[in-house]
Amino acid sequence: MAAAAAPGALGSLRAGRARLAAACCVRWRLGPGARLPGSWRGPRVAPAVWARGWACAAGGSAPRRGYGSDVRPEDELRVRHLDAENRGIVVLGINRAYAKNSFSKNLIKMLSKAVDALKSDKKVRTIIVRSEVPGVFCAGADLKERVKMNPSEVGPFVSKIRAVINEIANLPVPTIAAIDGLALGGGLELALACDIRVAASSAKMGLVETKLAIIPGGGGTQRLPRAIGVSLAKELIFSARVLDGQEAKAVGLISHVLEQNPEGDAAYRKALDLAREFLPQGPIAMRVAKLAINQGMEVDLVTGLAIEEACYAQTIPTKDRLEGLLAFKEKRSPRYKGE
């Protein structure tokens, strides 16, 4: 009798989970003028002063970088809102050359502040995370700062790093990590939190924490297995192995690998190309698609399909959907407003 009742019970459980997922999507009110978890309304991040250290690259499509050893604390993270044909793309540029872009208390604070503002900005369409330092993306935690901490301070600080990386992972718009150099430990965990990763073939990346008798603490033990599979992720973490761009592409850690260019920003240029591909699409649809994928990957297929159905329903009453149909009928490019 118990065996016969099991399928029905399982069906009821799945149905209940599906209803719960659908209710959650409805609760998030993803329709016109609504907001995803973490709301995208609110003030924009105030752009940093970019005149120093930036010059127009060939063709004006990608900025060249300037570097110095006298970087002020407020310049360790530069937030740049692109304009003209790139309007809607925001670039987060890490700029701690003297410390290989490692995570300091100040940098984590700045990242948290920037991400908090970006998730509230409806005009943001895609975010690129890059380095402004040649040959390095992010070397992980600032060990020189870490060694000065009391043991009681280490745990809370690692929790702050984990929280910021989680905030980046939960941004409602597409995110791209442009890895043009070294991405170790927390640096790779930062890249893993992004939706898409591109890298130069000369880049080096790995979760190397076991060499220091610790483990990845910024989500690496969870996100790496989801990206490349459990067995291979264990192998890489247990061995603290470092991969180059070609090896990372072969195992599925990154989506694209590029030969590095003389400017040292091949990955960034590819990230910018991808971001431009995303710009013409419906803003609400992009945000809801990301939500459906992210939530669906954490549940069984039945629940995932219910999440997709609930999310799709939120696009139906939008003005953007009607604009898309009208543009198709009139054989012109749509003019989406995120409404």
Side-chain angles (χ1 to χ4, degrees):
M1 179 66 70
L10 179 60
S12 298
L13 175 61
R14 286 181 172 172
R17 291 179 65 184
R19 287 193 296 271
L20 175 61
C24 288
C25 283
V26 171
R27 176 175 60 83
W28 288 331
R29 295 177 60 244
L30 300 179
R35 53 184 76 181
L36 289 168
S39 172
W40 67 73
R41 293 182 181 274
R44 294 178 63 177
V45 176
V49 178
W50 280 74
R52 183 161 61 91
W54 284 88
C56 187
S61 61
R64 284 203 182 107
R65 299 165 288 180
Y67 312 97
S69 58
D70 59 341
V71 176
R72 299 174 301 175
E74 59 267 31
D75 288 333
E76 289 186 348
L77 179 71
R78 294 176 173 174
V79 181
R80 185 176 186 236
H81 292 256
L82 305 189
D83 53 20
E85 71 275 11
N86 296 322
R87 187 177 301 278
I89 301 173
V90 176
V91 180
L92 296 180
I94 307 175
N95 187 42
R96 296 191 76 221
Y98 67 95
K100 296 183 179 179
N101 284 354
S102 56
F103 290 134
S104 63
K105 292 180 179 179
N106 179 64
L107 180 57
I108 290 300
K109 181 179 179 180
M110 294 187 70
L111 272 169
S112 181
K113 182 178 179 181
V115 171
D116 188 57
L118 288 174
K119 70 184 180 184
S120 303
D121 192 341
K122 192 176 179 181
K123 295 180 181 179
V124 176
R125 301 290 186 85
T126 300
I127 297 169
I128 298 174
V129 181
R130 69 169 302 193
S131 166
E132 294 190 20
V133 179
V136 60
F137 175 74
C138 174
D142 188 335
L143 298 182
K144 290 183 179 179
E145 184 181 78
R146 177 74 59 83
V147 77
K148 298 177 183 178
M149 294 182 184
N150 293 324
S152 60
E153 295 179 283
V154 175
F157 180 61
V158 173
S159 294
K160 290 180 181 178
I161 294 177
R162 185 184 304 113
V164 168
I165 290 176
N166 284 340
E167 288 171 8
I168 291 171
N170 292 328
L171 280 165
V173 298
T175 53
I176 308 171
I179 308 171
D180 274 307
L182 202 65
L184 300 179
L188 181 54
E189 290 175 308
L190 172 63
L192 283 166
C194 294
D195 299 312
I196 300 166
R197 291 167 293 282
V198 299
S201 57
S202 58
K204 303 292 183 181
M205 60 200 84
L207 297 179
V208 297
E209 285 86 349
T210 53
K211 282 188 175 181
L212 297 172
I214 56 176
I215 69 170
T221 62
Q222 304 305 305
R223 292 193 176 94
L224 187 63
R226 285 167 167 78
I228 66 173
V230 174
S231 181
L232 186 53
K234 287 179 178 178
E235 180 181 331
L236 295 182
I237 292 173
F238 295 165
S239 65
R241 188 180 305 156
V242 175
L243 307 179
D244 63 26
Q246 295 290 353
E247 293 169 328
K249 176 66 168 63
V251 300
L253 181 54
I254 61 175
S255 301
H256 302 276
V257 59
L258 303 309
E259 290 299 319
Q260 190 56 280
N261 58 29
E263 292 80 11
D265 64 354
Y268 170 68
R269 289 173 182 261
K270 179 62 178 179
L272 195 56
D273 287 341
L274 290 172
R276 290 187 184 119
E277 285 189 60
F278 302 161
L279 285 180
Q281 321 313 332
I284 294 175
M286 294 289 281
R287 295 166 186 260
V288 175
K290 176 172 177 173
L291 177 64
I293 295 169
N294 286 355
Q295 296 294 321
M297 290 302 296
E298 302 302 323
V299 299
D300 61 84
L301 180 60
V302 172
T303 307
L305 290 172
I307 291 172
E308 178 186 84
E309 181 179 9
C311 289
Y312 186 99
Q314 304 309 309
T315 68
I316 294 175
T318 63
K319 294 180 181 179
D320 279 353
R321 187 185 74 88
L322 298 178
E323 165 62 15
L325 292 174
L326 185 60
F328 177 80
K329 179 181 179 181
E330 297 176 353
K331 298 182 179 180
R332 59 171 175 81
S333 298
R335 295 181 288 272
Y336 296 126
K337 298 180 180 180
E339 300 175 353

